[in-house]
Amino acid sequence: MRSFLLNGGRALLAAVALTTAHSALAEFPDKPITLIVGSAPGGSNDVFARMLARRLGDSMKATIVVENKPSGGGILANVLVAKAPADGYTLAVVSSTFTTGAAVRDNLSYDPVKSFTHVAMLAKGPLLVTVGKDSQFKDIQSLVAYAKQHPDRLNYGSSGTGSINQFASEIFCEAAGIKMTHVPYKGMGPATNDLMGGQIQMLIASAPSILGQVKGGAVRALGVTAAEKSAIAPDLPALEQVGYKGSAVDLWWGVIGPANMPKAVTEKLNTAINDALKSEDMKAFFLKEGAEPAPESPARFGTFVAEELTRWKHIAQAKNIKAD
């Protein structure tokens, strides 16, 4: 009898827990969701976050508030999310800097893998290899040929030490067997200005940050950091296709939350985000901004983040890339 009661009690508790979980999922979200962006308004993270907030607000019948918390590498936003209650009401839109920045810093108060729930991947896109509009280099091959004859003569820019731009440039240089001098800037704006002014000779930049200048004729694009041609810039050769094996680098965007979010809430958010990414208008929106939708499960996104972090740490150590 006592065994029956104990077993019956456990069953009752399990049933109550299951009912509570279903109830919480049915009610989520029943208050505003905060979507934090670790950069100023206008950047790709911010643009993607605001579009996502509108779409999820409609589909989930929720109020989603975008808050900008600018800081170097988005660290402040990451800290705020890591310390937030793990209930799904505090999220962040992050990009490749989430892992490249962590790869060059050993004093972060969070772990990019263990401190977060990796809710959903949003999009991916290659970076563009660009030179000034008056540059002598008309294609990748002429740039590489000159750099081989004049090691360290050419300067390449980036948005800062440990940025995806620096990593992509170092990977390209390694694949091409050339050496260039790194010139870090505090953001893509000043780097692009110096590319146009001739102070630097190459800039590998994300499509959202440089495609407008390419289309406007202010800079010249020579290729994309991809394994094959990209719909983002179909007229440009992919670096791997023209012989620079191992040079493919994708810029990516995704949504994270605090660690240990309820599985049901995580999956509900993931489903809503992936459904939005499948719509034709979202595909067109991302393509216009220089990216393509890349829906993933939470588990696969988490694995991807871990793999990215390992890759960048290896390159940072090999190239002695450290945060300022």
Side-chain angles (χ1 to χ4, degrees):
M1 176 64 74
R2 186 167 181 267
S3 175
F4 174 79
L5 290 175
L6 285 174
N7 291 335
R10 292 193 186 100
L12 179 60
L13 288 174
V16 170
L18 184 60
T19 301
T20 301
H22 281 305
S23 177
L25 178 59
E27 294 174 357
F28 179 86
D30 62 358
K31 62 181 180 179
I33 295 173
T34 299
L35 194 56
I36 301 177
V37 177
S39 57
S44 60
N45 288 24
D46 178 71
V47 172
F48 292 171
R50 294 183 186 279
M51 169 58 85
L52 184 64
R54 288 195 294 272
R55 292 303 300 261
L56 292 187
D58 291 340
S59 66
M60 302 184 78
K61 295 182 171 45
T63 299
I64 301 180
V65 181
V66 176
E67 288 188 3
N68 295 86
K69 300 290 184 181
S71 66
I75 293 174
L76 175 59
N78 300 339
V79 169
L80 291 173
V81 172
K83 293 183 177 180
D87 54 12
Y89 289 98
T90 303
L91 308 170
V93 169
V94 296
S95 60
S96 301
T97 302
F98 181 67
T99 47
T100 59
V104 299
R105 293 177 173 87
D106 55 14
N107 60 345
L108 293 174
S109 62
Y110 59 84
D111 184 299
V113 177
K114 298 177 182 178
S115 301
F116 301 94
T117 297
H118 304 92
V119 177
M121 179 88 81
L122 291 178
K124 287 184 178 181
L127 293 93
L128 275 60
V129 183
T130 64
V131 297
K133 67 180 179 64
D134 298 320
S135 171
Q136 62 180 301
F137 308 120
K138 308 300 182 183
D139 52 39
I140 289 288
Q141 290 83 352
S142 61
L143 173 68
V144 170
Y146 183 92
K148 283 185 175 180
Q149 293 176 1
H150 306 89
D152 290 320
R153 178 81 62 84
L154 299 179
N155 298 324
Y156 78 83
S158 79
S159 60
T161 301
S163 65
I164 188 66
N165 318 101
Q166 182 185 11
F167 276 103
S169 300
E170 289 294 339
I171 289 172
F172 167 57
C173 288
E174 180 77 18
I178 59 177
K179 292 183 178 181
M180 294 188 186
T181 300
H182 177 219
V183 181
Y185 292 85
K186 292 183 177 179
M188 287 306 298
T192 303
N193 288 337
D194 273 8
L195 179 71
M196 293 187 291
Q199 284 77 28
I200 56 175
Q201 288 73 51
M202 185 187 79
L203 181 63
I204 296 184
S206 69
S209 65
I210 202 76
L211 200 54
Q213 288 84 348
V214 171
K215 291 180 178 179
V219 301
R220 180 186 304 136
L222 304 182
V224 292
T225 62
E228 55 188 29
K229 284 194 174 185
S230 169
I232 307 304
D235 295 333
L236 295 177
L239 294 184
E240 295 233 1
Q241 284 187 325
V242 292
Y244 307 113
K245 300 301 181 183
S247 59
V249 176
D250 274 328
L251 183 61
W252 58 266
W253 296 263
V255 177
I256 61 171
N260 302 315
M261 279 173 47
K263 183 178 180 181
V265 170
T266 301
E267 291 181 348
K268 186 171 185 178
L269 285 164
N270 180 268
T271 297
I273 291 170
N274 287 350
D275 286 346
L277 296 180
K278 294 173 185 176
S279 66
E280 291 302 319
D281 61 327
M282 282 291 277
K283 291 178 183 178
F285 165 76
F286 278 117
L287 190 60
K288 180 183 176 183
E289 295 294 330
E292 295 182 86
E296 292 284 5
S297 68
R300 177 58 197 140
F301 182 33
T303 299
F304 173 82
V305 168
E307 292 171 346
E308 283 278 284
L309 183 62
T310 298
R311 180 189 188 191
W312 301 136
K313 280 185 174 181
H314 174 75
I315 294 172
Q317 184 176 15
K319 299 295 182 180
N320 195 31
I321 302 174
K322 298 179 180 179
D324 297 331

